[in-house]
Amino acid sequence: MALLKSDLGNEYEAEKYYTKALSITKQINGISHTSYASILSNMGNFYLVMNNYSKAKNCFEQALEIAKKVSGENSSYYALVLENLAVLHKRTGEYLISENIFIEALRIHERIFGKTSKNYSTTLNNLAGIYSKQKNYEKANKLYLESEVITKNI
């Protein structure tokens, strides 16, 4: 419901639904559960779209901590939350931080899925975007091409 309200442009209602979902999930599963982290991550993306970067960062960092405890640092879920955090840093112009986070997520995807997976390709593409923002076009182009080859073969 929160996503629908957000899509309809009713951010106030969307935020209320996210908050309510967190509260209900906390009562049912506690805060050390992937469903709680998932809502936090979704809420972080909501705040990211709203350009409320401090709230987005807070949500992503909480979700990341839960993912680390529950799933471990070598899980695809942990990598997904890392990527959300990397996107936030990209949006705020913190390209070096974003780059390092994308590299960490890329390593996790490589360990889990290999270098020919959609997850690996998507993260590679995101990392290429960072290199492009840093005006490192040679590196960006190399990664864009590698991502394209992987995507074509999936």
Side-chain angles (χ1 to χ4, degrees):
M1 186 61 87
L3 185 57
L4 175 63
K5 293 292 184 182
S6 178
D7 287 347
L8 293 172
N10 193 337
E11 290 82 17
Y12 175 75
E13 286 293 316
E15 187 174 31
K16 279 184 13 184
Y17 277 107
Y18 277 121
T19 303
K20 186 175 182 175
L22 276 177
S23 177
I24 291 168
T25 303
K26 181 179 179 180
Q27 289 173 356
I28 295 170
N29 299 318
I31 60 170
S32 293
H33 196 275
T34 53
S35 59
Y36 190 81
S38 181
I39 295 167
L40 279 170
S41 191
N42 290 337
M43 198 170 185
N45 282 318
F46 164 74
Y47 287 130
L48 188 60
V49 170
M50 298 291 100
N51 297 321
N52 191 334
Y53 300 131
S54 62
K55 283 188 176 182
K57 185 177 182 181
N58 184 44
C59 288
F60 291 144
E61 287 177 345
Q62 285 182 63
L64 192 63
E65 189 59 36
I66 294 166
K68 183 178 179 179
K69 276 194 247 177
V70 176
S71 302
E73 290 183 48
N74 289 310
S75 70
S76 60
Y77 185 70
Y78 184 79
L80 173 67
V81 180
L82 274 176
E83 290 190 65
N84 288 337
L85 188 57
V87 169
L88 168 70
H89 287 290
K90 179 181 177 183
R91 290 274 299 271
T92 58
E94 299 168 295
Y95 301 129
L96 186 57
I97 295 170
S98 182
E99 175 188 354
N100 290 329
I101 295 171
F102 275 130
I103 289 170
E104 184 179 353
L106 189 67
R107 288 182 183 138
I108 294 167
H109 288 313
E110 182 181 352
R111 275 194 301 271
I112 296 170
F113 304 111
K115 287 186 172 185
T116 58
S117 71
K118 181 180 182 200
N119 295 58
Y120 185 85
S121 177
T122 300
T123 306
L124 202 61
N125 192 67
N126 288 334
L127 183 57
I130 291 298
Y131 290 138
S132 183
K133 287 283 189 184
Q134 295 171 324
K135 300 189 185 331
N136 189 340
Y137 301 119
E138 188 176 322
K139 243 183 180 177
N141 189 51
K142 181 180 182 250
L143 296 187
Y144 279 134
L145 291 174
E146 186 179 343
S147 174
E148 184 179 11
V149 168
I150 294 166
T151 301
K152 284 181 180 178
N153 291 320
I154 293 177

